Amino acid sequence: MRKKILIGVLGMMAVLLSACSMEKEDMPVPVEIIEPITVPADTDENEMATAPSSGDEKEESTEPEEEPELPDAEPEKQSSVSDESSDTYREIYRQLVMETEGDALTFSLIYLNNDDIPELAVCDRGYEAYSIYTVKDGRAFCMMDAMTTVEMAYFEHSSIVSAFARWNGGGDEGGYGWYYYQVSEDKALANGDLPTLNFTYDAVYDEEGNWTGEGVTKYYHMDQEIDEAAYQQMMNELGIVEGKEKILTENALGKVEMLDQLGK
């Protein structure tokens, strides 16, 4: 009897479990409804929400990339003497040549200071007097005013002129010297001004007045005697190289010829 009751209870439990299972299978699966997002027409795209990105991807920047600055184009190289400045110095020198009077005058254009505008050299052969002019503040400026000497030379682009002098006949049996002056646009050089450097040579004679075959050379800086080594060092510092000087009147022209050259 107990056995039959137990079997009946088990059978009823099996029927109930089967019914529960079927009821779960027939239940509808809930579905989440996602509302569409409406973006207003005047909304900036940068303000829209973006989907979260994974850690492997980098977030793109919404700011515009700055364009690299390009170097300015290299300006075209121009001549250090413009047409305007060329016409200016020509007209100034032309006027100066026309106003200069004398029958023994010669003129030449030289490059004495450190620019590309030439200086005007004037030589009065009747007095062995030399003058040099440059352009300053739109007018002629006298750098050297009628210095008298046997021979005048210059060193190109160095602002150095040199004057040669001789005495007692000159040569090895007499005396001579070279005097180096530094020109500027502050004042004009003139006779009596001290040279920056100079040397002198004097022949030596015995008691009977015969030349001994020797001479004495002395070196000076601003009229103070110095040794030869110091003299040579100062020569190098000033850019003075013996044998590189140019004679001031080497390419000299007469008045008419110089006016023609300046008028081109």
Side-chain angles (χ1 to χ4, degrees):
M1 185 65 176
R2 292 181 178 177
K3 186 176 182 181
K4 290 181 179 180
I5 293 173
L6 180 60
I7 292 173
V9 173
L10 293 174
M12 289 179 65
M13 291 178 63
V15 172
L16 291 172
L17 290 172
S18 176
C20 291
S21 176
M22 292 178 61
E23 187 177 356
K24 289 183 178 180
E25 291 178 359
D26 294 338
M27 287 180 63
V29 178
V31 178
E32 182 182 0
I33 299 176
I34 302 175
E35 295 291 338
I37 299 174
T38 303
V39 181
D42 57 351
T43 302
D44 192 342
E45 292 180 0
N46 291 333
E47 296 178 358
M48 292 176 58
T50 56
S53 59
S54 64
D56 297 334
E57 297 181 357
K58 294 183 179 179
E59 183 179 355
E60 295 184 358
S61 173
T62 57
E63 297 181 0
E65 295 183 0
E66 295 183 359
E67 296 183 0
E69 295 183 2
L70 298 177
D72 295 335
E74 183 179 356
E76 294 183 2
K77 294 182 179 179
Q78 298 180 353
S79 172
S80 55
V81 179
S82 64
D83 293 338
E84 183 179 356
S85 62
S86 177
D87 292 340
T88 299
Y89 87 75
R90 287 177 183 276
E91 181 58 32
I92 292 172
Y93 290 161
R94 182 177 175 83
Q95 186 69 26
L96 184 62
V97 172
M98 287 191 297
E99 294 175 355
T100 305
E101 298 180 357
D103 297 330
L105 296 178
T106 61
F107 305 86
S108 56
L109 294 176
I110 64 174
Y111 291 94
L112 179 56
N113 58 15
N114 196 25
D115 61 31
D116 291 334
I117 297 178
E119 283 65 51
L120 176 67
V122 183
C123 174
D124 187 338
R125 293 185 180 278
Y127 296 95
E128 292 185 332
Y130 298 83
S131 300
I132 299 176
Y133 298 87
T134 189
V135 175
K136 178 183 179 182
D137 299 330
R139 63 182 62 186
F141 176 81
C142 183
M143 304 174 79
M144 187 169 68
D145 187 13
M147 288 188 68
T148 56
T149 182
V150 176
E151 183 178 294
M152 181 70 69
Y154 71 100
F155 294 83
E156 205 166 58
H157 294 300
S158 68
S159 297
I160 298 294
V161 295
S162 58
F164 178 74
R166 59 173 175 252
W167 51 91
N168 297 332
D172 292 338
E173 297 184 29
Y176 60 88
W178 277 101
Y179 300 79
Y180 300 94
Y181 300 86
Q182 193 166 18
V183 301
S184 72
E185 295 183 11
D186 296 329
K187 63 180 293 290
L189 288 173
N191 290 321
D193 286 345
L194 288 177
T196 303
L197 290 173
N198 72 285
F199 78 90
T200 60
Y201 168 86
D202 286 287
V204 176
Y205 292 82
D206 58 23
E207 295 179 353
E208 297 179 358
N210 297 318
W211 180 47
T212 62
E214 298 179 353
V216 176
T217 302
K218 295 183 179 182
Y219 303 92
Y220 300 88
H221 171 241
M222 300 300 293
D223 206 30
Q224 299 296 316
E225 188 172 357
I226 58 177
D227 59 31
E228 184 177 3
Y231 177 83
Q232 289 298 332
Q233 181 178 349
M234 291 182 181
M235 291 272 285
N236 294 334
E237 291 174 354
L238 291 173
I240 303 173
V241 181
E242 293 182 359
K244 296 295 183 180
E245 67 273 10
K246 294 186 176 183
I247 304 303
L248 203 65
T249 57
E250 184 176 5
N251 298 308
L253 301 173
K255 189 171 186 176
V256 174
E257 292 80 7
M258 178 54 67
L259 288 173
D260 288 341
Q261 181 173 335
L262 292 171
K264 292 181 181 179

